[in-house]
Amino acid sequence: MSDSKLAAQFFDAAIALLQRARDEEAEAVEAAGALLADTVAAGGRLFAFGAGHSSLAAQDVVYRAGGLALMNLLAVPGVVGVDVIPATLGSALERVGGLAGAVLDTSPVRAGDALVIISLSGRNALPVEMALNARALGVKVIGVTSVAYASETTSRHVSGTFLRDHCDVVLDSKIAVGDAELTLDTVPAPFAPASTVVTSALLQAVMATAAGALAERGIEPPLLRSGNVDGGHDWNGRIMDEYGDRIFYRR
C-alpha cells in the first residue's frame, strides 16, 4: 500500500472519530461548557490536567489565542509531556498512589473551581485519585477519556474504579483500546494514534460552548487574542489585569 493511501486512511479514521464525538457527545459538551461558564460567573478558577501525551490536550487550552484566559495548567512534575528523562518515568509516576493528593495540597485549586482531567485510559492511579481528591475539596471535575477502557481493561487504582467514575461530566473520546487506527499485514503492530486530535477537538468545543454560555448571560468571556495581530497584546493585558487573581501561569 502506498504512503498516500495510508495517510488518507488515517485522515478518514480521524474524521470518523470526530464526527462520532460531535454527534454522540453533544450533550456532554454542552454540560461541560455550562459547568465552566458557571464556574467563571461565580468567581471560580479553571484548571486542566493530563499526564504524558494526554497533557498535550491540556496544554492546548492554556494561554491559548482564542481560548479562555482563566484556564490554568495543573502540572505534576515528571508527567507533563515526555520531556522528563527517561520518558518512561512519566508512565511509572502515573501509577504511583498518593501523588495526586500531594499535588492538589500544594496547588491553588480550591472549592468552587473546575478541573478538566484528561486521561485516555482513565485506569491509572494518578487521574483517578486526582478526580477523587478534587471532588472531595469541592471542585467540579470534567473527565475526558475513552470509556472503552473501563469495559476492556482493569483499573490500576486500589478502588478498582476509573476516571469516568469520579466526574461531574464525562466526555468520551471514542478512541479504541490501544489508540492506533491503522494496521497492515507487513507491520507487526497497529499504528497511527488519533487520541490527541479527538481530545483536543472535544476540549475546544467545550471552550467555545463556555464562551457562548457566558455571552448569553451578559458576561464578556475572558478570551485571549493572538499576540501576532495588531492590538493583541493590549487586549490580553486588559484581560489579565481584570482576571489576574485567577490566572496562575504568569506567576
Side-chain angles (χ1 to χ4, degrees):
M1 180 178 294
S2 69
D3 294 343
S4 61
K5 287 185 178 179
L6 285 173
Q9 282 190 8
F10 176 75
F11 277 114
D12 288 343
I15 290 168
L17 285 164
L18 288 169
Q19 288 175 330
R20 284 191 63 198
R22 179 195 63 192
D23 297 340
E24 298 173 19
E25 296 303 298
E27 186 175 336
V29 167
E30 190 74 20
L35 190 157
L36 294 186
D38 289 344
T39 303
V40 172
R45 294 87 58 81
L46 310 179
F47 296 86
F49 164 76
H53 288 96
S54 290
S55 178
L56 296 175
Q59 294 178 63
D60 190 48
V61 294
V62 175
Y63 188 51
R64 192 73 162 87
L68 293 173
L70 305 192
M71 185 61 70
N72 301 278
L73 185 67
L74 181 61
V76 178
V79 304
V80 181
V82 293
D83 57 339
V84 62
I85 302 298
T88 51
L89 176 60
S91 297
L93 288 174
E94 284 190 72
R95 302 185 181 103
V96 174
L99 181 56
V103 169
L104 284 170
D105 287 345
T106 56
S107 79
V109 178
R110 67 188 184 194
D113 292 343
L115 172 60
V116 178
I117 300 177
I118 306 153
S119 174
L120 178 61
S121 73
R123 67 188 299 221
N124 289 310
L126 184 54
V128 173
E129 289 184 357
M130 190 71 76
L132 271 167
N133 291 4
R135 293 183 88 189
L137 289 173
V139 174
K140 296 293 186 180
V141 174
I142 298 169
V144 189
T145 187
S146 169
V147 171
Y149 278 83
S151 59
E152 298 179 37
T153 69
T154 57
S155 171
R156 288 176 174 151
H157 187 253
V158 293
S159 67
T161 60
F162 289 77
L163 169 62
R164 72 165 193 175
D165 299 315
H166 307 287
C167 299
D168 295 281
V169 180
V170 176
L171 299 171
D172 182 6
S173 63
K174 315 298 179 182
I175 300 295
V177 173
D179 192 16
E181 294 301 316
L182 303 182
T183 59
L184 272 180
D185 292 341
T186 54
V187 178
F191 56 100
S195 59
T196 304
V197 174
V198 180
T199 301
S200 290
L202 278 169
L203 282 179
Q204 292 299 348
V206 170
M207 298 303 138
T209 301
L214 286 167
E216 286 180 358
R217 304 178 195 190
I219 301 171
E220 179 188 338
L223 297 169
L224 294 172
R225 290 193 176 190
S226 171
N228 296 314
V229 300
D230 292 342
H233 286 299
D234 291 339
W235 173 279
N236 293 341
R238 176 182 68 82
I239 293 295
M240 289 186 180
D241 286 344
E242 183 174 351
Y243 292 94
D245 60 335
R246 292 194 259 175
I247 297 172
F248 298 94
Y249 47 80
R250 295 200 305 169
R251 302 177 186 179

